Amino acid sequence: MAFPNSVTSKLRMQSGVIGEVSHAGPKRARTAIVNTEVETNNVFGRAFTFDDMAVESVKAGGEGVFAGILINPKAYALTEWNGVFNGSIGEFLDMGEIYVEIEGAEAGQIGAVVNYNADGSLTLGEGTAIPNCVLERHLPSQETPNLCVIRLTN
């Protein structure tokens, strides 16, 4: 087999991986036990709030204190819904830049406030505002219109 001596431009990465930290810089994450009523809402790149602060358990969405965005998908077993099982210890980013999927992001602008819905999915429209979180760096690409980077500065 010959050594490759050219690069095919069709193989370039269009964007990032949902739930992965996107750029080097200050970042902070916490760990907590995932405990959501609907387990399939435990998806990487979604917002989580504290369910029970005494045992440090979190749930997707909710109305409690913001815990962070579920990150680091390469550290967990694959699931059918790109997330984690209840009872897993998850990592939740509350400061840094991360690739996420946002509903309606194609109409967004850099600096737009990011919100979350009851299931933890992110949106630029209605929902609960994520503290100190904005659409950042890259607007969504045409190939992946809902994939973009957000910045959390908590």
Side-chain angles (χ1 to χ4, degrees):
M1 179 177 208
F3 286 102
N5 59 6
S6 64
V7 176
T8 305
S9 64
K10 293 179 183 177
L11 297 177
R12 69 183 188 275
M13 182 178 245
Q14 298 293 329
S15 293
V17 176
I18 295 173
E20 285 288 313
V21 173
S22 65
H23 294 82
K27 54 184 161 261
R28 182 177 51 232
R30 63 172 46 103
T31 57
I33 301 167
V34 180
N35 184 29
T36 303
E37 288 181 26
V38 180
E39 190 173 53
T40 55
N41 286 338
N42 299 336
V43 176
F44 292 103
R46 285 198 179 177
F48 284 71
T49 59
F50 281 100
D51 182 41
D52 184 350
M53 292 183 94
V55 295
E56 295 184 6
S57 68
V58 297
K59 61 183 175 185
E63 297 179 3
V65 175
F66 178 72
I69 305 289
L70 181 60
I71 63 169
N72 206 4
K74 296 175 188 169
Y76 298 89
L78 292 175
T79 62
E80 295 176 10
W81 62 87
N82 189 31
V84 298
F85 296 104
N86 279 338
S88 298
I89 297 175
E91 293 178 78
F92 301 90
L93 187 79
D94 70 344
M95 182 169 74
E97 294 179 353
I98 181 174
Y99 289 104
V100 294
E101 184 175 19
I102 299 179
E103 296 172 26
E106 65 277 1
Q109 296 180 344
I110 291 177
V113 174
V114 180
N115 302 315
Y116 67 91
N117 296 318
D119 64 356
S121 61
L122 306 183
T123 180
L124 295 179
E126 297 194 15
T128 305
I130 298 175
N132 304 312
C133 181
V134 295
L135 184 62
E136 180 63 29
R137 292 220 187 222
H138 306 295
L139 290 177
S141 66
Q142 291 179 341
E143 295 82 8
T144 55
N146 292 326
L147 182 64
C148 50
V149 176
I150 60 171
R151 175 188 287 170
L152 294 120
T153 55
N154 290 314

